[in-house]
Amino acid sequence: MDFKGVLVKIFGRDREIVLCAAGTAVALLGLGLVYKYNVRRPEKKFTRVGVVTQLLLHPMKSGKAVLVETAECLRMGLKYGQLRDRHWLVITEDGHMVTARQQPRLVLVSLSCEDGQLCLSGPQMEELRVPLQQSSNAVVDCRVFSRDVQGRDCGDEVSNWLTRYLESDKTVRLVHYEPHLKAQRPSEKDPLFPEDEKVAYPDAAPIMLMSEASVRDLNTRLDKDVTVFQFRPSIVVSDCEAFTEDTWDHIQIGQVELKRVVGCGRCVLTTVDPETGIITRKEPLDTLKAYRLTDPKQKTAPILGQYYIVKKTGVLHVGEPVYKISY
């Protein structure tokens, strides 16, 4: 008798025995799955490490910060209304980025969006308003450091305004990143970033977090105080010790989860005064180099603040506690 015949004979003789055996097998399988996905999974532990005191967007790369009380934290950075962090970029006519490293007075330019219009303002300049959506404008290939990215040109009026403001002998233009355009892949520059990570025009990561205490520690070593605005963070945290953010590998703020990737290596941009647009190329960078060369991955760049990727999106609020996640 074949195997099938045996089963039929047994099932016919004692249906209850077969059903009981099948039920036991299903129960054991269920218990195994419960064990795999619950018992064996490490339990998350939450330790309060600080509180959010400031949320900042820099809609235009190297432009003036926009302080908000609440912001959406998305995979590609903070969003407030129609403003997206570092989604506008000043470029030369051949597509290379222009930042406050070359044009320090860019830090005084405010970019906002109101009633479907893009608004630009700056010292001794009339406010400029143009349509935010200009889908007939050209899509431009750009370079942010050594990485290729795209942006939609914001038009000749904006170009003329920025060129006049910067008193540049060469024409500059403004481009805007749109979701369907080519984005940067941070992993192309630093393999510590996941390959699927994308950003528009930031130097590296969608989020940069730092603590007020770290800036206060720096100020004890300087002749002239600096503020967090000099370092252009996304999230500022208080109620913690200086540089403790260096150890926050995985944090949660509200429903948002962030994963630390690497320390933020500082450059000459930190020597631009955000109130005057004057660059010294000296402080606070020289002092930082004296005691914050703490990350061998950044080689000669001193570390102040940490780069994060967004593991779980959500809404951030000033005043929310920051929790370090451990297992």
Side-chain angles (χ1 to χ4, degrees):
M1 185 181 295
D2 60 13
F3 182 68
K4 181 178 179 182
V6 172
L7 286 178
V8 170
K9 186 175 180 181
I10 293 173
F11 189 79
R13 271 200 324 226
D14 202 333
R15 178 188 176 98
E16 291 186 2
I17 292 175
V18 175
L19 291 175
C20 182
T24 301
V26 170
L28 288 173
L29 178 61
L31 286 172
L33 291 172
V34 169
Y35 177 78
K36 179 180 179 180
Y37 290 105
N38 291 288
V39 177
R40 294 180 61 188
R41 178 179 292 176
E43 181 181 354
K44 283 184 179 181
K45 297 180 181 179
F46 296 88
T47 305
R48 188 182 185 279
V49 292
V51 63
V52 176
T53 51
Q54 292 184 80
L55 296 170
L56 300 92
L57 284 82
H58 298 83
M60 185 177 77
K61 188 174 181 68
S62 282
K64 196 168 186 176
V66 177
L67 274 76
V68 296
E69 290 294 310
T70 183
E72 294 179 71
C73 187
L74 305 178
R75 287 290 301 274
M76 292 181 71
L78 298 187
K79 178 179 184 291
Y80 179 78
Q82 293 177 301
L83 293 179
R84 297 286 299 268
D85 188 69
R86 293 169 175 89
H87 270 50
W88 282 264
L89 173 71
V90 180
I91 60 170
T92 59
E93 287 195 291
D94 61 358
H96 287 84
M97 72 174 185
V98 177
T99 72
R101 298 169 181 85
Q102 303 88 29
Q103 293 284 358
R105 291 178 68 244
L106 274 178
V107 301
L108 306 179
V109 176
S110 295
L111 185 152
S112 60
C113 297
E114 297 176 10
D115 301 323
Q117 291 188 312
L118 175 70
C119 309
L120 289 176
S121 61
Q124 288 80 54
M125 294 290 290
E126 73 287 357
E127 183 182 65
L128 177 67
R129 289 175 175 259
V130 298
L132 178 60
Q133 303 296 335
Q134 299 191 48
S135 57
S136 62
N137 288 2
V139 171
V140 181
D141 293 326
C142 314
R143 298 277 285 179
V144 175
F145 295 107
S146 60
R147 301 188 297 279
D148 294 325
V149 66
Q150 291 180 314
R152 188 175 298 280
D153 193 278
C154 292
D156 291 340
E157 282 188 84
V158 173
S159 172
N160 293 336
W161 190 96
L162 283 168
T163 303
R164 284 191 293 112
Y165 170 74
L166 295 176
E167 299 176 348
S168 175
D169 56 350
K170 294 182 179 180
T171 300
V172 297
R173 305 194 71 85
L174 185 70
V175 295
H176 176 219
Y177 178 80
E178 297 174 353
H180 62 281
L181 300 181
K182 183 176 182 179
Q184 294 185 79
R185 299 277 183 175
S187 60
E188 293 178 2
K189 180 182 178 182
D190 191 333
L192 292 173
F193 285 90
E195 289 186 3
D196 65 343
E197 197 68 25
K198 298 191 300 182
V199 292
Y201 306 131
D203 285 2
I207 298 293
M208 198 277 282
L209 178 148
M210 63 188 302
S211 71
E212 291 180 350
S214 298
V215 178
R216 285 198 300 270
D217 181 276
L218 172 60
N219 281 333
T220 65
R221 308 162 192 266
L222 296 173
D223 294 331
K224 180 183 178 182
D225 284 358
V226 295
T227 68
V228 293
F229 297 103
Q230 207 128 339
F231 305 100
R232 310 180 72 78
S234 313
I235 302 172
V236 181
V237 178
S238 67
D239 198 22
C240 61
E241 296 182 359
F243 311 115
T244 189
E245 64 265 33
D246 296 355
T247 66
W248 299 346
D249 291 334
H250 191 184
I251 61 174
Q252 181 162 325
I253 307 170
Q255 296 301 311
V256 174
E257 286 190 26
L258 304 174
K259 184 74 173 176
R260 188 177 71 87
V261 179
V262 67
C264 181
R266 295 304 180 171
C267 68
V268 71
L269 188 57
T270 60
T271 70
V272 179
D273 188 325
E275 297 298 322
T276 65
I278 295 174
I279 188 169
T280 67
R281 302 189 180 276
K282 292 292 184 181
E283 295 294 1
L285 188 59
D286 286 352
T287 295
L288 280 171
K289 286 180 177 178
Y291 78 112
R292 285 295 296 170
L293 293 173
T294 57
D295 191 336
K297 302 182 191 70
Q298 293 286 17
K299 298 179 182 178
T300 60
I303 302 302
L304 189 61
Q306 296 288 323
Y307 282 135
Y308 285 81
I309 58 173
V310 181
K311 300 298 290 183
K312 185 177 178 182
T313 62
V315 179
L316 296 172
H317 302 273
V318 169
E320 284 186 308
V322 180
Y323 293 97
K324 180 179 178 179
I325 300 175
S326 57
Y327 295 90

